[in-house]
Amino acid sequence: MTQRLGNAGGRAAPVASAMQRFRAGYGFVLEWVVGALMVILFVEVTVGVLFRMTGHSLIWYDELASVLLAWLTFYGSALASVRRAHIGCPELVERASWPVRRAINIVAQLLVIGFFAVLGVMGVWIMPILAGDTLVSVPIPMNLVQSVIPVSSLLIIVAEITHLVDLIANTRPPSSTSGGIALADGLH
């Protein structure tokens, strides 16, 4: 999926497609979100442990840590979708002929997108039900806490669509030196 352009040295330099550049930028933003959540969680738990060691336990730190861990999990899943880092079984798919592998990967991408579309819609549907509820120990609205479901679902759908576009555009078997995506990368 990369093009090659000649440069002054006579060697061809890879030029990333617009989709690859978008995916790289998108992944970079998600890395910062996940990194920030990890730092916030680390600081929050460390403060909670230090207060507990001094005999002055904070009543809110474990509930907030649970929320932060859930957010880290959901946003980390979006980052894993961009990086194609979810668990998969590419060995089974790679045994099939190239057209069959391509079809399986496209169908798998569509199923993943469909699942997260349903999850996102259900997440949005539940938001008004949670309006007015807060966490037990701190006055953080539950619909803010649960907003991670539709937001991360949308982030995952965007990541999966970028890979689906590559799969659909890849109409010929990739060569081992093409620099394009591996068909097994289409499965999680």
Side-chain angles (χ1 to χ4, degrees):
M1 301 307 287
T2 59
Q3 299 173 353
R4 302 236 177 232
L5 295 178
N7 60 17
R11 295 178 24 204
V15 176
S17 71
M19 187 62 68
Q20 290 168 330
R21 287 190 309 272
F22 171 78
R23 190 180 306 121
Y26 189 62
F28 181 76
V29 170
L30 285 173
E31 284 175 1
W32 275 95
V33 169
V34 169
L37 284 170
M38 286 174 48
V39 169
I40 293 166
L41 179 60
F42 170 77
V43 169
E44 194 267 345
V45 170
T46 302
V47 167
V49 168
L50 292 174
F51 270 84
R52 182 169 285 193
M53 287 173 50
T54 64
H56 300 90
S57 294
L58 301 171
I59 61 169
W60 51 266
Y61 97 92
D62 57 341
E63 186 177 30
L64 193 57
S66 297
V67 169
L68 288 170
L69 182 59
W71 283 16
L72 181 60
T73 301
F74 277 92
Y75 290 117
S77 292
L79 178 58
S81 282
V82 172
R83 299 286 183 242
R84 311 310 290 161
H86 286 289
I87 297 171
C89 295
E91 297 83 13
L92 297 175
V93 176
E94 292 300 324
R95 292 178 188 240
S97 66
W98 187 83
V100 171
R101 287 189 313 225
R102 182 172 180 262
I104 289 171
N105 281 288
I106 290 171
V107 168
Q109 286 299 117
L110 291 172
L111 290 172
V112 169
I113 290 167
F115 171 80
F116 282 102
V118 170
L119 184 64
V121 166
M122 295 310 293
V124 169
W125 178 76
I126 199 137
M127 299 295 282
I129 295 169
L130 297 172
D133 291 346
T134 62
L135 294 177
V136 174
S137 59
V138 286
I140 297 176
M142 281 301 290
N143 53 359
L144 173 65
V145 170
Q146 296 299 322
S147 68
V148 70
I149 295 171
V151 171
S152 65
S153 293
L154 180 62
L155 293 172
I156 291 169
I157 288 170
V158 169
E160 296 301 326
I161 287 173
T162 66
H163 292 289
L164 180 62
V165 168
D166 282 347
L167 285 168
I168 291 171
N170 190 10
T171 58
R172 291 180 297 164
S175 66
S176 60
T177 60
S178 71
I181 63 164
L183 282 177
D185 287 344
L187 291 179
H188 292 306

